[in-house]
Amino acid sequence: QNKTNKTEDHRTTNNKLQQTTNRSFITTITLSSLCSQHQLCNSNYYIMFRHIINFVLYEDDVILRTGLTILACHLALYTLLRSKLIPDGPWKVIPSATAHQIIAFVLMVYQSYLGFYYFSWSNWKILSDSTDSGGYYMAQFCMGSMLFWDIPVGMMSNGMGNNTIMHLHHIGFFCVAAISIGLFSPDGMPLGAASYAPFFFGCIELSSIPLQIVDLFHPKRSPDWYEYSKNSKFLCSLNDVCRTLFALSFLVVRGMMWPYVIGTGAIPDYWETSVKYPQYVIPCRIMVTMAFSFTILQSYWAILVLKQIIKIVMGKNNDEKKKE
């Protein structure tokens, strides 16, 4: 009986060891599989990053020339604002942010002009192999300005606040521009550059022209410029006019035109293209997701603008009642 018990104990021990060995073997295989997948994922990210760098530096000189030119203008203006050639003022307190607003004002005027010049209400076709269209150039221009100037300078500049939502908004627009010129298409096919790029990289920036002045004199984002403007009737009047122009243009371009173009054109077109052409599923679905996200963001901003308009109108009415 003792021998039988010892035999059974021995068998039980062997079974436990075998189970432990099997579990360890399975765990080892699983971990190895996960590691290999992780390495593959990292490899894919590296390949994509290298593809973007090669495209920007060697294949598309418009992006590189645009970005470096704008950055050089910013550095030159920044140096001038800090120099002793001009008197003291808020521009010396936040020279980089001031230079950013000035350059952005000029760029918004240029992009708005190109947008309304090239945009067509009847030419809404995503698939286009034309790399010499006005929309393709606008997407290149947007990528260069975002990559080499707006995103890095906006994150590093002191003053004008630290608007995380705006930074994410600009990064998202950079991705949209990259997809529209075919950077993420397997065959390099532009996806919407000729049709939608003029609107989303040009027309909607009409409201951004007066916004640059409004942001410059904002009491929270730029208190130094705000205090400086209070001592000048001209600057106060300029700020009031720009605020009105911004509210009206924002509601028209981004509050009404944006959802119409998105709902009747961009989203249906990109979704249909992803269904008909499987090779474009990933970039087209990303564009649809971006379209929904940006539309929600634009709607949120439009509500804020409407609230400000209501406050101003109600305030004027109250003043009139007091006078009466």
Side-chain angles (χ1 to χ4, degrees), residues 88-208:
D88 294 336
W91 47 86
K92 286 188 177 294
V93 180
I94 48 172
S96 183
T98 303
H100 182 275
Q101 295 303 109
I102 295 173
I103 293 177
F105 179 86
V106 177
L107 293 182
M108 295 304 101
V109 173
Y110 178 63
Q111 290 181 225
S112 299
Y113 166 75
L114 291 180
F116 284 101
Y117 182 80
Y118 287 118
F119 182 64
S120 173
W121 290 97
S122 58
N123 183 28
W124 290 1
K125 295 180 180 179
I126 293 179
L127 295 181
S128 172
D129 57 358
S130 175
T131 58
D132 58 351
S133 64
Y136 191 90
Y137 166 73
M138 293 188 67
Q140 292 173 304
F141 187 90
C142 179
M143 281 190 64
S145 63
M146 291 287 180
L147 182 62
F148 292 97
W149 172 69
D150 193 48
I151 294 175
V153 171
M155 290 182 175
M156 293 186 294
S157 295
N158 294 325
M160 302 304 293
N162 187 10
N163 196 332
T164 304
I165 295 179
M166 187 60 66
H167 293 327
L168 295 176
H169 173 261
H170 290 171
I171 293 174
F173 253 76
F174 170 81
C175 295
V176 170
I179 293 175
S180 66
I181 66 174
L183 189 57
F184 297 113
S185 300
D187 54 358
M189 173 68 74
L191 299 174
S195 54
Y196 295 109
F199 179 79
F200 292 109
F201 299 139
C203 296
I204 66 168
E205 299 300 354
L206 180 66
S207 61
S208 299

Side-chain angles (χ1 to χ4, degrees), residues 169 258 262 267 286-300:
H169 173 261
W258 174 292
I262 284 287
I267 290 180
I286 292 176
M287 291 293 266
V288 171
T289 304
M290 289 286 189
F292 273 114
S293 303
F294 284 139
T295 301
I296 294 173
L297 184 60
Q298 300 298 327
S299 301
Y300 169 73

